[in-house]
């Protein structure tokens, strides 16, 4: 089965360009603003959209995304509202791949079967669930794959050659390479090391590989994109959003554009990487 | 989906976890990929150590000569008279070096960390008892150590913060969330993900991803194993009733586990009922007022809302102020082998004072919860019922906080 994600990567490969994958948190700083931002992302140059499902205890995230989860929860975001937001987005956009990213507990209590069904119905294309490793695949990954969702797995600098096949086995859509051993939004990755790691992953899979964690600027994005199929930018966007809020975390007139301006810059950075893209 | 696994009646309650770290539906390994290889490495290292007589000999030596084991099994004569009923014994783990049962686990894990050639130690702490025990063994073995502690706990357990610093530990204040144990654990996990190459994480309770719940239980089981021998010496038979408080559940599983298959023994785990079980924001009784979920690497009972967001909870006791519980307890709850009850802040405070006044032992606020249940239970039992309560920590750390609750200026 070809998914929206497969189609998007194929189209970008034709153009010789890496995908810009954006991460923002659903419901940050509130439902309406977050929906407006979501609708504006494709036009600004996001090739694939990752929406964070806010969680009270985001163990793999740094301060920026922790705070963004807290803002969303405080504004009343729930799993049901996140799915409703995606349904509303899909009414006007049938093409842009959309991936939900988050932690397992809110899915587990949803519960799993209902969540997968509602994802399909809402137009979600894939899931990234940080705390469900291959060792627990029968919980969520297999049911999601069987229902037609992509299950995108993280590979990390600690995933050695011996373990990589297990990580890749039930992965679909793309592989998300976590460029640093650490949490989101902190250290900047070393481009050379990242390219080496991506090349090693690509020796074992046909899937596209996107790189994330710590990518902040158009220059960095361009450098990473020279040796990868996609670049994920999250904390930098979340920080731009945060900077546009007032002291009570209320959005201003420029909240959406503060994020989309940055996305536009990143997209231009990637567009100019065209000829550099290997593969 | 039902919130409770169907009760099963296993032949033995002591064979868990399975090879994937599950106790029934509970436990498992729910961690980010970055940590997965480390957890597998830890499991391998622990399996090797478990099979190595030298490891056991070294641990035994340290437990005796450094930790002060065995701890006495003490007949609490005046409390027994006062309550009128069961014959009450205290397992005196508050007499251990550093003042609680936490040292049993820390000695085991630091020896493992050394075998794994790890050069940096991290830990979370609530009451500060685990933090102090970690800082102590890190000092003893000359390893740098970072302790994560919530800002609320730093305030209510100030004496322990200073002890950790004296021992050479760096204490990192965690302001996220409610600033208690859960948030400290999140931050310790974030540190671990960032420093995977050299860092060993000493989890302080029988929770977290496999193999921690099993490993911590094994290191704490020395408590129950000693009680078996000591009670035979004192009374010529095994006890009838066991009682322990439940934070993450390490002191409790340490007492309970060696007795789980002695099916005539009644076992009680006492959760923190806070201000009462009516409102999940106001207690920490995850098995009495929560439902199964996934947090900190394992599936277990959690305080959470309908959307799966974790609720902070509340307890007067920093060591019990945690919205989850070790997965083996969740399984023992569902199977019915252990009875999990809750007592309130006020009941624990009263028990704290009673024990201090009539036994001359100042208990920590954590085992004061166990004691408060003993106060209710003992009078309902016959005089020949042998009851053992785990007095797992001493209350020096709590005197300032208790004074405040009693309205005393110090
Ligand atoms: C004295 C004491 N008892 C009990 C606990 C709770 O932990 P656990 O349930 O793992 O024994 C703590 C935790 O800090 C403690 O300090």
């Amino acid at each position: 089965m070809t998914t929206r994600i497969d189609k998007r990567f194929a189209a970008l490969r034709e153009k010789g360009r890496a995908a810009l994958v954006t991460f923002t948190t659903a419901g940050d700083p509130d439902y309406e603003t977050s929906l407006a931002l979501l609708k504006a992302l494709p036009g600004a140059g996001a090739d694939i959209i990752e929406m964070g499902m806010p969680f009270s205890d985001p163990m793999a995230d740094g301060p920026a995304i922790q705070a963004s989860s807290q803002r969303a929860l405080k504004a009343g975001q729930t799993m049901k509202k996140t799915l409703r937001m995606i349904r509303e987005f899909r009414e006007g956009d049938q093409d842009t791949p959309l991936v939900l990213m988050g932690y397992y507990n809110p899915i587990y209590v949803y519960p799993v079967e209902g969540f997968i069904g509602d994802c399909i119905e809402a137009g979600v294309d894939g899931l990234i669930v940080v705390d469900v490793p291959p060792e627990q695949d029968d919980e969520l990954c297999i049911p999601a794959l069987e229902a037609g969702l992509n299950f995108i797995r993280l590979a990390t600098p600690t995933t050695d050659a011996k373990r990589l096949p297990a990580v890749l086995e039930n992965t679909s859509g793309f592989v998300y390479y976590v460029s640093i051993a650490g949490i989101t939004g902190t250290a900047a990755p070393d481009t050379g090391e990242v390219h080496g790691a991506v090349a090693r992953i690509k020796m074992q899979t046909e899937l596209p590989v996107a790189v994330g964690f710590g990518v902040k600027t158009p220059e960095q994005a361009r450098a990473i994109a020279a040796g990868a199929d996609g670049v994920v930018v999250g904390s930098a966007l979340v920080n731009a959003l945060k900077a546009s809020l007032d002291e009570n975390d209320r959005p201003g007139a420029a909240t959406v554009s503060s994020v989309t301006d940055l996305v536009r810059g990143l997209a231009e950075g990637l567009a100019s990487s065209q000829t550099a893209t290997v593969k | 989906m039902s919130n409770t696994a169907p009760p099963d009646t296993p032949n033995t309650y002591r064979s868990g976890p399975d090879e994937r770290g599950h106790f029934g539906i509970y436990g498992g390994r729910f961690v980010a990929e970055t940590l997965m290889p480390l957890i597998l490495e830890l499991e391998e290292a622990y399996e090797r150590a478990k099979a190595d007589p030298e490891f056991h000999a070294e641990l035994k030596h340290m437990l005796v000569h450094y930790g002060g084991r065995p701890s006495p099994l003490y007949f609490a004569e005046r409390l027994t008279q006062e309550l009128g009923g069961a014959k009450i014994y205290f397992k005196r783990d508050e007499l251990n070096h550093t003042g609680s049962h936490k040292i049993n686990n820390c000695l085991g894990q630091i020896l493992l960390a050394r075998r794994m050639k790890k050069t940096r130690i991290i830990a979370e702490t609530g009451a500060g008892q685990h933090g102090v025990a970690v800082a102590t063994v890190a000092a003893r073995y000359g390893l740098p150590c970072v302790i994560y502690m919530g800002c609320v706990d730093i305030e209510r357990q100030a004496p322990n913060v200073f002890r950790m610093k004296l021992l050479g530990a760096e204490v990192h204040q965690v302001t996220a969330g409610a600033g208690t144990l859960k948030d400290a654990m999140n931050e310790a996990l974030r540190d671990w993900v960032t420093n995977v190459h050299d860092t060993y994480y000493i989890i302080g309770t029988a929770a977290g991803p496999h193999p921690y719940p099993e490993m911590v239980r094994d290191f704490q089981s020395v408590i129950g194993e000693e009680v078996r021998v000591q009670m035979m010496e004192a009374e010529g038979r095994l006890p009838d009733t066991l009682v322990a408080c439940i934070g993450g559940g390490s002191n409790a599983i340490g007492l309970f586990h060696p007795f789980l298959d002695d099916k005539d023994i009644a076992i009680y785990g006492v959760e923190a009922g806070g201000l009462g079980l009516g409102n999940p924001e106001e207690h920490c009784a995850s098995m009495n007022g929560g439902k199964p979920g996934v947090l900190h690497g394992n599936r277990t009972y959690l305080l959470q809302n309908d959307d799966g967001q974790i609720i902070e909870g509340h307890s007067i006791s920093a060591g019990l102020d945690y919205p989850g519980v070790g997965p083996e307890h969740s399984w023992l709850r569902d199977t019915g082998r252990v009875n999990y009850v809750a007592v309130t802040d006020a009941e624990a405070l009263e028990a704290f004072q009673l024990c201090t006044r009539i036994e001359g032992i100042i208990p920590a606020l954590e085992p004061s919860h166990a004691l408060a249940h003993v106060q209710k239970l003992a009078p309902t039992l016959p005089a020949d019922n042998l009851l053992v309560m785990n007095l797992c920590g001493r209350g020096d750390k709590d005197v300032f906080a208790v004074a405040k609750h009693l309205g005393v200026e110090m």
Side-chain angles (χ1 to χ4, degrees):
Chain A
M1 185 172 53
T2 324
T3 65
R4 278 192 198 99
I5 296 174
D6 301 334
K7 280 189 211 143
R8 180 57 54 99
F9 272 110
L12 289 167
R13 193 171 301 142
E14 297 255 299
K15 292 189 199 160
R17 185 161 76 71
L20 175 60
V21 184
T22 60
F23 173 95
T24 47
T25 301
D28 176 23
D30 58 49
Y31 185 93
E32 291 308 325
T33 311
S34 184
L35 177 60
L37 173 58
L38 176 56
K39 287 177 173 169
L41 282 170
D47 297 305
I48 296 175
I49 294 174
E50 264 181 40
M51 285 296 269
M53 299 175 276
F55 181 48
S56 53
D57 294 82
M59 270 112 45
D61 285 300
I65 293 177
Q66 286 175 44
S68 109
S69 267
Q70 286 304 319
R71 285 194 296 272
L73 291 174
K74 226 167 129 193
Q77 191 70 10
T78 59
M79 296 289 279
K80 291 249 180 307
K81 284 189 183 171
T82 297
L83 288 164
R84 195 211 306 158
M85 187 177 284
I86 289 158
R87 267 195 304 276
E88 290 193 50
F89 168 76
R90 277 280 171 251
E91 285 165 13
D93 186 320
Q94 288 299 315
D95 302 321
T96 308
L98 194 145
V99 174
L100 284 178
M101 179 163 186
Y103 296 81
Y104 186 35
N105 195 54
I107 298 173
Y108 177 69
V109 303
Y110 192 94
V112 168
E113 311 86 80
F115 175 73
I116 290 172
D118 287 357
C119 278
I120 302 271
E121 191 263 326
V124 173
D125 301 296
L127 300 177
I128 303 176
V129 185
V130 176
D131 53 353
V132 183
E135 280 73 5
Q136 307 280 164
D137 259 0
D138 47 348
E139 296 259 339
L140 174 64
C141 171
I142 304 289
L145 289 174
E146 280 171 357
L149 290 173
N150 283 136
F151 200 84
I152 295 130
R153 186 98 59 197
L154 308 179
T156 72
T158 59
T159 311
D160 58 20
K162 195 169 113 229
R163 183 170 169 76
L164 189 56
V167 170
L168 295 174
E169 188 181 352
N170 291 318
T171 301
S172 69
F174 62 97
V175 179
Y176 186 141
Y177 181 66
V178 175
S179 63
I180 50 161
I183 52 179
T184 52
T186 49
D190 178 289
T191 307
E193 276 174 30
V194 167
H195 289 172
V198 172
R200 281 192 294 280
I201 294 171
K202 291 184 81 74
M203 276 162 38
Q204 295 199 29
T205 181
E206 303 278 300
L207 289 172
V209 179
V211 175
F213 278 45
V215 182
K216 294 190 174 82
T217 65
E219 294 70 39
Q220 262 180 322
R222 188 165 50 230
I224 295 279
D229 304 296
V231 179
V232 188
V233 182
S235 293
L237 302 182
V238 168
N239 280 332
L241 182 144
K242 159 78 184 149
S244 75
L245 305 178
D246 71 12
E247 65 273 20
N248 296 314
D249 289 336
R250 274 187 306 249
T255 293
V256 169
S257 63
S258 66
V259 179
T260 51
D261 286 352
L262 184 51
V263 170
R264 215 164 269 121
L266 289 159
E268 279 161 15
L270 290 193
S272 64
S273 77
Q274 266 193 11
T275 48
T277 308
V278 289
K279 288 156 307 267
Chain B
M1 183 190 291
S2 108
N3 283 339
T4 308
D8 42 323
T9 337
N11 294 325
T12 170
Y13 290 93
R14 304 186 68 228
S15 62
D18 67 17
E19 70 286 350
R20 293 168 66 206
H22 291 121
F23 301 90
I25 67 163
Y26 301 105
R29 286 177 286 220
F30 295 92
V31 297
E33 173 59 24
T34 312
L35 291 181
M36 232 10 254
L38 274 88
I39 280 167
L40 295 172
E41 182 197 350
L42 174 63
E43 185 185 348
E44 239 181 79
Y46 179 55
E47 288 303 318
R48 244 180 287 124
K50 226 167 36 173
D52 181 355
E54 258 181 53
F55 179 79
H56 291 281
E58 193 180 1
L59 178 55
K60 176 101 201 275
H61 178 88
M62 288 306 287
L63 285 171
V64 171
H65 297 278
Y66 191 70
R69 301 212 71 89
S71 68
L73 183 68
Y74 162 74
F75 170 41
E77 193 175 353
R78 290 201 64 213
L79 186 69
T80 299
Q81 280 167 6
E82 169 82 15
L83 299 180
K87 187 169 183 184
I88 301 164
Y89 281 85
F90 289 164
K91 178 60 173 163
R92 303 279 315 266
D93 256 53
E94 102 281 11
L95 292 177
N96 295 338
H97 182 40
T98 73
S100 79
H101 66 292
K102 298 288 182 186
I103 194 77
N104 305 331
N105 169 45
C106 290
L107 281 171
Q109 289 204 50
I110 196 101
L111 294 182
L112 195 59
R114 277 160 58 83
R115 289 187 157 223
M116 295 173 74
K117 309 256 184 294
K118 300 292 181 184
T119 55
R120 177 175 174 269
I121 302 295
I122 61 169
E124 85 295 339
T125 197
Q129 287 303 103
H130 177 57
V132 166
V134 170
T136 297
V137 298
R140 167 62 183 78
Y141 287 99
L143 295 174
C145 139
V146 174
I147 307 289
Y148 290 91
M149 189 167 185
C151 53
V152 169
D153 293 339
I154 284 186
E155 188 182 326
R156 61 180 161 173
Q157 306 280 267
N160 273 343
V161 177
F162 187 58
R163 286 167 84 196
M164 287 185 267
K165 288 182 179 164
L166 283 174
L167 288 159
E170 229 178 272
V171 181
H172 281 214
Q173 165 164 310
V174 179
T175 51
T180 57
L181 187 51
K182 163 179 88 84
D183 313 295
M185 193 146 178
N186 287 336
E187 215 49 42
L189 283 164
R190 291 184 186 115
D191 178 314
W192 201 22
V193 174
T194 310
N195 299 292
V196 280
H197 54 287
D198 66 350
T199 295
Y200 186 99
Y201 179 14
I202 302 187
I203 293 185
T205 192
H210 179 62
Y212 281 103
E214 175 190 6
M215 180 169 67
V216 175
R217 174 200 73 200
D218 291 350
F219 290 142
Q220 292 294 1
S221 289
V222 65
I223 299 171
E225 283 155 14
E226 286 175 5
V227 168
R228 279 189 91 90
V229 174
Q230 290 168 322
M231 193 56 100
M232 287 304 288
E233 281 169 10
E235 300 277 356
R237 64 183 183 89
L238 294 179
D240 301 297
T241 308
L242 304 175
V243 184
C245 68
I246 307 274
S250 70
N251 88 85
I253 201 73
L255 174 64
F256 300 167
H257 195 260
F259 294 102
L260 289 175
D261 284 342
D262 299 284
K263 291 180 189 163
D264 294 335
I265 300 182
I267 307 183
Y268 297 87
V270 185
E271 297 194 289
L275 304 175
L277 295 186
N279 180 348
E281 321 257 330
E282 295 185 342
H283 66 81
C284 278
S286 49
M287 288 183 288
N288 278 290
K291 58 181 182 176
V294 175
L295 181 73
H296 293 156
N298 59 158
R299 181 173 11 242
T300 194
Y301 277 89
L302 297 172
L303 299 181
Q304 54 183 317
N305 68 16
D306 290 341
D307 196 43
Q309 309 298 335
I310 308 303
I311 292 169
E312 297 279 350
H314 156 84
S315 170
I316 188 174
S317 147
L320 306 185
D321 206 343
Y322 180 68
V325 64
E328 193 163 11
H329 287 293
S330 292
W331 179 72
L332 289 169
R333 172 202 182 277
D334 286 3
T335 57
R337 176 61 188 99
V338 176
N339 307 295
Y340 294 93
V341 298
V343 309
T344 64
D345 287 353
E347 290 169 326
L349 256 180
E350 194 192 309
F352 174 96
Q353 295 171 82
L354 177 74
C355 184
T356 303
R357 230 179 287 120
I358 73 170
E359 286 292 347
I361 298 172
I362 304 179
L365 281 173
E366 291 80 16
S368 295
H369 285 72
L371 198 62
H373 187 64
V374 169
Q375 266 184 277
K376 299 181 193 172
L377 183 65
T380 70
L381 298 170
D384 63 352
N385 190 289
L386 303 177
L387 183 155
V388 179
M389 190 206 87
N390 198 8
L391 215 179
C392 59
R394 66 174 183 234
D396 310 39
K397 69 182 174 62
D398 293 314
V399 292
F400 295 97
V402 168
K404 212 162 136 190
H405 283 289
L406 298 179
V408 178
E409 288 266 344
M410 300 236 297

